[in-house]
Amino acid sequence: MTRRLPTIHGITEHDAGPWRMERLDLEFDNGERRRYERLHGRGHGAVIVVPMLDDATALLVREYAAGVHRYELGLVKGRIDAGETPEQAADRELKEEAGYGARSLVVLRALTLAPTYMSHQTHLVLARDLYPERLPGDEPEELEVVPWKLDALDQLILREDFSEGRSIAALFLVREWLRTQPGARA
């Protein structure tokens, strides 16, 4: 069923740290009026990168995650800076966090975190044809790079130190995307 989007009768906003909080006064087709709140990021979005060491092996990084106060395995990720494309941001983040550049970068799709109340989008980028190159990053310590076979994702998702939803979704999406490509293994 296709529905018309609710009518926005008003928006009020205020600062919420790195976010802008908006309150929307909405009216739905059935006449119901509600107030919704949403967060807008102040930046240009973000990237999450699946760097493929070879046709079957992705590179993960282990870094400190303040939200859960532990070290987590996950994918290279970061903000898109002003003037950068998702591909440029992915290549920069890959060099900063994992010590690799990529000759092939493909944006597969955008992922949302919590679309019912956040506007933030993260661009999923597949990075292939890697070569060693390191740029200084903003991490307080060098990140451990961990190769992981895509055919062992079932073991990875059961690990306590691999819990971030974007990383889980990105690896499965890339594995399925690679399976549909002529001549690709995964």
Side-chain angles (χ1 to χ4, degrees):
M1 170 166 60
T2 303
R3 292 187 176 169
R4 190 172 65 84
L5 289 172
T7 301
I8 299 175
H9 288 286
I11 299 175
T12 57
E13 48 184 68
H14 67 276
D15 287 338
W19 303 92
R20 185 178 77 241
M21 173 69 81
E22 290 184 344
R23 288 191 176 94
L24 305 171
D25 178 16
L26 299 173
E27 183 178 348
F28 290 81
D29 269 351
N30 63 3
E32 282 288 319
R33 286 191 71 158
R34 296 287 163 85
R35 179 165 286 156
Y36 277 63
E37 293 182 336
R38 67 180 177 192
L39 290 173
H40 277 295
R42 297 191 187 281
H44 305 279
V47 292
I48 188 161
V49 186
V50 179
M52 296 300 297
L53 189 60
D54 56 42
D55 288 343
T57 311
L59 296 179
L60 306 175
V61 291
R62 185 184 320 277
E63 67 180 311
Y64 176 70
V68 291
H69 189 56
R70 66 176 182 225
Y71 283 88
E72 277 273 314
L73 275 175
L75 291 168
V76 167
K77 57 194 155 303
R79 285 188 294 250
I80 299 173
D81 291 337
E84 277 186 323
T85 65
E87 294 91 344
Q88 290 167 331
D91 197 44
R92 175 183 49 75
E93 290 289 345
L94 184 58
K95 291 172 183 175
E96 290 174 2
E97 294 186 7
Y100 286 93
R103 291 182 187 90
S104 172
L105 294 152
V106 179
V107 178
L108 297 184
R109 62 168 298 159
L111 301 172
T112 59
L113 294 172
T116 55
Y117 66 90
M118 291 180 74
S119 65
H120 181 77
Q121 292 193 3
T122 301
H123 300 274
L124 168 55
V125 181
L126 172 62
R128 295 189 286 185
D129 197 8
L130 304 181
Y131 59 90
E133 183 176 343
R134 181 165 296 282
L135 289 175
D138 57 2
E139 290 76 21
E141 58 188 0
E142 189 171 323
L143 304 184
E144 178 187 357
V145 178
V146 178
W148 200 276
K149 297 290 186 186
L150 289 181
D151 64 4
L153 288 183
D154 58 330
Q155 296 166 30
L156 182 61
I157 64 172
L158 296 176
R159 292 177 58 116
E160 290 292 320
D161 65 345
F162 183 74
S163 66
E164 194 218 6
R166 291 179 301 174
S167 290
I168 293 168
L171 286 169
F172 277 97
L173 286 164
V174 163
R175 185 181 73 182
E176 294 310 304
W177 187 86
L178 288 171
R179 286 179 177 170
T180 68
Q181 301 307 301
R185 282 185 44 215

Coordinates of all heavy atoms in Angstrom, one line a residue, residues 142-186:
E142 N 46.9 2.6 17.5 CA 46.8 1.8 16.2 C 45.8 0.7 16.4 O 45.7 0.0 17.4 CB 48.2 1.2 15.9 CG 48.2 0.7 14.5 CD 49.6 0.3 14.0 OE1 50.6 1.0 14.3 OE2 49.7 -0.8 13.3
L143 N 45.0 0.5 15.3 CA 44.0 -0.5 15.4 C 44.5 -1.8 14.9 O 45.3 -1.9 13.9 CB 42.8 -0.1 14.5 CG 42.1 1.2 14.8 CD1 40.9 1.5 14.0 CD2 41.8 1.4 16.3
E144 N 44.1 -2.9 15.5 CA 44.5 -4.2 15.1 C 43.6 -4.6 13.9 O 42.4 -4.4 13.9 CB 44.2 -5.2 16.2 CG 44.6 -6.7 15.8 CD 44.2 -7.7 16.9 OE1 43.7 -7.3 18.0 OE2 44.3 -8.9 16.6
V145 N 44.3 -5.1 12.8 CA 43.6 -5.5 11.6 C 43.4 -7.0 11.7 O 44.4 -7.8 11.9 CB 44.3 -5.1 10.3 CG1 43.6 -5.6 9.1 CG2 44.5 -3.6 10.3
V146 N 42.2 -7.5 11.5 CA 41.9 -9.0 11.6 C 41.2 -9.5 10.3 O 40.1 -9.1 10.0 CB 40.9 -9.2 12.8 CG1 40.6 -10.7 12.9 CG2 41.5 -8.7 14.1
P147 N 41.9 -10.3 9.5 CA 41.3 -10.9 8.4 C 40.2 -11.9 8.8 O 40.4 -12.6 9.8 CB 42.4 -11.7 7.7 CG 43.7 -11.2 8.3 CD 43.3 -10.7 9.7
W148 N 39.1 -11.9 8.0 CA 38.0 -12.8 8.3 C 37.4 -13.3 7.0 O 37.0 -12.6 6.1 CB 36.9 -12.1 9.2 CG 36.1 -13.2 9.8 CD1 35.0 -13.8 9.3 CD2 36.2 -13.7 11.2 NE1 34.5 -14.7 10.3 CE2 35.2 -14.6 11.4 CE3 37.1 -13.4 12.2 CZ2 35.1 -15.3 12.6 CZ3 37.0 -14.0 13.4 CH2 36.0 -15.0 13.6
K149 N 37.3 -14.7 6.9 CA 36.7 -15.3 5.7 C 35.2 -15.0 5.7 O 34.5 -15.2 6.7 CB 36.9 -16.8 5.7 CG 38.4 -17.2 5.6 CD 39.0 -16.8 4.2 CE 40.4 -17.3 4.1 NZ 41.0 -16.9 2.8
L150 N 34.6 -14.6 4.6 CA 33.2 -14.4 4.5 C 32.4 -15.6 4.7 O 31.3 -15.6 5.1 CB 32.9 -13.8 3.1 CG 33.3 -12.3 2.9 CD1 32.9 -11.8 1.5 CD2 32.8 -11.4 4.0
D151 N 33.0 -16.8 4.3 CA 32.2 -18.0 4.6 C 32.2 -18.4 6.0 O 31.5 -19.4 6.4 CB 32.7 -19.2 3.7 CG 34.1 -19.6 4.0 OD1 34.7 -19.1 4.9 OD2 34.6 -20.5 3.2
A152 N 32.8 -17.6 6.9 CA 32.7 -17.9 8.3 C 32.0 -16.8 9.1 O 32.2 -16.6 10.3 CB 34.1 -18.0 8.9
L153 N 31.0 -16.1 8.4 CA 30.3 -15.1 9.1 C 29.4 -15.6 10.2 O 29.1 -15.0 11.2 CB 29.4 -14.3 8.1 CG 30.1 -13.4 7.1 CD1 29.1 -12.7 6.2 CD2 31.0 -12.4 7.8
D154 N 28.9 -16.9 10.0 CA 28.1 -17.5 11.1 C 28.9 -17.6 12.4 O 28.3 -17.4 13.5 CB 27.6 -18.9 10.6 CG 28.7 -19.9 10.3 OD1 29.8 -19.4 9.8 OD2 28.5 -21.1 10.5
Q155 N 30.2 -17.8 12.3 CA 31.0 -17.8 13.6 C 31.2 -16.4 14.1 O 31.2 -16.2 15.3 CB 32.3 -18.5 13.3 CG 32.2 -19.9 12.9 CD 33.5 -20.5 12.3 OE1 34.6 -20.0 12.7 NE2 33.4 -21.4 11.4
L156 N 31.4 -15.4 13.2 CA 31.7 -14.1 13.6 C 30.5 -13.5 14.3 O 30.7 -12.8 15.4 CB 32.0 -13.2 12.4 CG 32.4 -11.8 12.6 CD1 33.6 -11.6 13.5 CD2 32.6 -11.0 11.3
I157 N 29.3 -13.7 13.8 CA 28.1 -13.0 14.5 C 27.8 -13.6 15.9 O 27.1 -13.0 16.6 CB 26.9 -13.0 13.6 CG1 26.4 -14.5 13.3 CG2 27.1 -12.3 12.3 CD1 25.1 -14.6 12.6
L158 N 28.4 -14.7 16.2 CA 28.2 -15.3 17.6 C 29.2 -14.8 18.6 O 29.1 -15.0 19.8 CB 28.2 -16.8 17.5 CG 27.1 -17.4 16.7 CD1 27.3 -19.0 16.6 CD2 25.8 -17.1 17.2
R159 N 30.2 -14.0 18.1 CA 31.2 -13.5 19.0 C 30.7 -12.4 19.9 O 30.0 -11.5 19.3 CB 32.5 -13.0 18.3 CG 33.2 -14.2 17.6 CD 34.4 -13.6 16.8 NE 35.3 -12.8 17.6 CZ 36.5 -13.1 17.9 NH1 37.1 -14.2 17.3 NH2 37.3 -12.4 18.7
E160 N 31.0 -12.3 21.1 CA 30.6 -11.2 22.0 C 31.2 -9.9 21.6 O 30.6 -8.8 21.9 CB 31.0 -11.5 23.5 CG 30.2 -12.7 24.1 CD 28.7 -12.3 24.3 OE1 28.4 -11.1 24.7 OE2 27.8 -13.1 24.0
D161 N 32.4 -9.9 21.0 CA 33.1 -8.7 20.7 C 32.8 -8.2 19.2 O 33.5 -7.4 18.7 CB 34.6 -8.8 20.9 CG 35.3 -9.8 20.0 OD1 34.6 -10.7 19.3 OD2 36.5 -9.8 19.9
F162 N 31.7 -8.7 18.6 CA 31.3 -8.3 17.3 C 29.8 -8.1 17.4 O 29.0 -9.0 17.2 CB 31.7 -9.4 16.2 CG 31.3 -8.9 14.8 CD1 32.1 -8.0 14.2 CD2 30.2 -9.5 14.2 CE1 31.7 -7.6 12.9 CE2 29.9 -9.1 12.9 CZ 30.6 -8.1 12.3
S163 N 29.4 -6.8 17.7 CA 28.0 -6.6 18.0 C 27.4 -5.5 17.2 O 26.1 -5.3 17.3 CB 27.8 -6.4 19.5 OG 28.4 -5.1 19.9
E164 N 28.1 -4.7 16.5 CA 27.6 -3.5 15.8 C 26.7 -3.9 14.6 O 27.2 -4.6 13.7 CB 28.7 -2.6 15.3 CG 28.2 -1.2 15.0 CD 28.8 -0.6 13.8 OE1 29.7 -1.2 13.1 OE2 28.5 0.5 13.5
G165 N 25.5 -3.5 14.6 CA 24.5 -3.8 13.5 C 25.0 -3.5 12.1 O 24.8 -4.2 11.2
R166 N 25.6 -2.3 12.0 CA 26.0 -1.9 10.6 C 27.1 -2.8 10.1 O 27.1 -3.1 8.9 CB 26.6 -0.4 10.6 CG 25.5 0.6 10.9 CD 26.1 2.0 10.9 NE 27.1 2.1 11.9 CZ 27.9 3.2 12.1 NH1 27.8 4.2 11.3 NH2 28.8 3.2 13.1
S167 N 28.0 -3.2 10.9 CA 29.1 -4.1 10.5 C 28.5 -5.5 10.1 O 28.8 -6.1 9.1 CB 30.1 -4.3 11.6 OG 30.9 -3.2 11.7
I168 N 27.5 -6.0 10.9 CA 26.9 -7.3 10.6 C 26.2 -7.2 9.2 O 26.4 -8.0 8.3 CB 25.9 -7.7 11.7 CG1 26.7 -8.0 13.0 CG2 25.1 -8.9 11.3 CD1 25.9 -8.1 14.2
A169 N 25.3 -6.2 9.1 CA 24.6 -6.0 7.9 C 25.5 -5.8 6.7 O 25.3 -6.4 5.6 CB 23.6 -4.8 8.0
A170 N 26.5 -5.0 6.8 CA 27.4 -4.7 5.7 C 28.1 -6.0 5.2 O 28.2 -6.2 4.0 CB 28.5 -3.7 6.1
L171 N 28.6 -6.8 6.1 CA 29.3 -8.0 5.7 C 28.3 -9.0 4.9 O 28.7 -9.6 3.9 CB 29.9 -8.7 6.9 CG 31.2 -8.0 7.4 CD1 31.6 -8.6 8.7 CD2 32.3 -8.1 6.4
F172 N 27.1 -9.1 5.4 CA 26.2 -10.0 4.7 C 25.8 -9.4 3.4 O 25.7 -10.2 2.4 CB 24.9 -10.3 5.6 CG 25.1 -11.4 6.6 CD1 25.5 -11.1 7.9 CD2 25.0 -12.7 6.2 CE1 25.7 -12.1 8.8 CE2 25.2 -13.7 7.1 CZ 25.6 -13.4 8.5
L173 N 25.6 -8.1 3.3 CA 25.2 -7.5 2.0 C 26.3 -7.7 1.0 O 26.1 -8.0 -0.1 CB 24.9 -6.0 2.2 CG 23.6 -5.7 2.9 CD1 23.5 -4.3 3.4 CD2 22.4 -6.0 1.9
V174 N 27.6 -7.5 1.4 CA 28.7 -7.6 0.5 C 28.8 -9.1 0.1 O 29.0 -9.3 -1.1 CB 30.0 -7.1 1.1 CG1 31.2 -7.6 0.4 CG2 30.0 -5.6 1.1
R175 N 28.7 -10.0 1.0 CA 28.8 -11.4 0.6 C 27.8 -11.7 -0.4 O 28.1 -12.4 -1.4 CB 28.6 -12.3 1.9 CG 28.9 -13.8 1.5 CD 28.7 -14.7 2.7 NE 27.2 -14.8 3.0 CZ 26.7 -15.5 4.0 NH1 27.5 -16.1 4.8 NH2 25.4 -15.5 4.2
E176 N 26.5 -11.3 -0.2 CA 25.5 -11.6 -1.2 C 25.7 -10.9 -2.5 O 25.5 -11.4 -3.6 CB 24.1 -11.3 -0.6 CG 23.7 -12.2 0.5 CD 23.9 -13.7 0.3 OE1 23.3 -14.2 -0.7 OE2 24.7 -14.3 1.0
W177 N 26.2 -9.6 -2.5 CA 26.5 -8.9 -3.7 C 27.6 -9.6 -4.5 O 27.5 -9.7 -5.7 CB 26.9 -7.4 -3.3 CG 27.0 -6.5 -4.5 CD1 26.0 -5.8 -5.1 CD2 28.2 -6.3 -5.2 NE1 26.6 -5.1 -6.2 CE2 27.9 -5.4 -6.3 CE3 29.6 -6.7 -5.1 CZ2 28.9 -4.9 -7.1 CZ3 30.5 -6.2 -6.0 CH2 30.2 -5.3 -7.0
L178 N 28.6 -10.0 -3.8 CA 29.7 -10.7 -4.5 C 29.3 -12.0 -5.1 O 29.8 -12.3 -6.2 CB 30.9 -10.9 -3.5 CG 31.7 -9.7 -3.1 CD1 32.7 -10.1 -2.0 CD2 32.4 -9.1 -4.3
R179 N 28.4 -12.7 -4.5 CA 27.8 -13.9 -5.1 C 27.1 -13.7 -6.4 O 27.0 -14.6 -7.2 CB 26.9 -14.6 -4.1 CG 27.6 -15.3 -2.9 CD 26.6 -15.9 -2.0 NE 27.4 -16.6 -0.9 CZ 26.8 -17.1 0.2 NH1 25.5 -17.0 0.4 NH2 27.6 -17.7 1.1
T180 N 26.6 -12.5 -6.6 CA 25.8 -12.2 -7.8 C 26.7 -11.7 -8.9 O 26.2 -11.6 -10.1 CB 24.7 -11.2 -7.5 OG1 25.3 -9.9 -7.2 CG2 23.8 -11.7 -6.4
Q181 N 27.9 -11.4 -8.7 CA 28.8 -10.9 -9.7 C 29.5 -12.0 -10.5 O 30.0 -12.9 -9.9 CB 29.9 -10.0 -9.0 CG 29.3 -8.8 -8.2 CD 28.3 -8.0 -9.0 OE1 28.7 -7.5 -10.0 NE2 27.1 -7.9 -8.6
P182 N 29.5 -11.8 -11.8 CA 30.2 -12.9 -12.6 C 31.6 -13.0 -12.2 O 32.4 -12.1 -12.1 CB 30.1 -12.3 -14.0 CG 29.0 -11.3 -14.0 CD 28.9 -10.8 -12.6
G183 N 32.0 -14.2 -12.0 CA 33.4 -14.6 -11.7 C 33.9 -14.3 -10.3 O 35.0 -14.5 -10.0
A184 N 33.0 -13.8 -9.5 CA 33.4 -13.5 -8.1 C 33.1 -14.6 -7.2 O 32.2 -15.4 -7.4 CB 32.7 -12.2 -7.6
R185 N 34.0 -14.8 -6.2 CA 33.8 -15.8 -5.1 C 33.4 -15.1 -3.8 O 33.9 -14.1 -3.5 CB 35.1 -16.6 -4.9 CG 35.4 -17.6 -5.8 CD 36.7 -18.4 -5.4 NE 36.6 -18.7 -4.0 CZ 37.7 -18.7 -3.2 NH1 38.8 -18.4 -3.6 NH2 37.5 -19.1 -1.9
A186 N 32.6 -15.8 -3.1 CA 32.3 -15.3 -1.7 C 31.4 -16.3 -1.0 O 30.6 -17.0 -1.5 CB 31.7 -14.0 -1.6

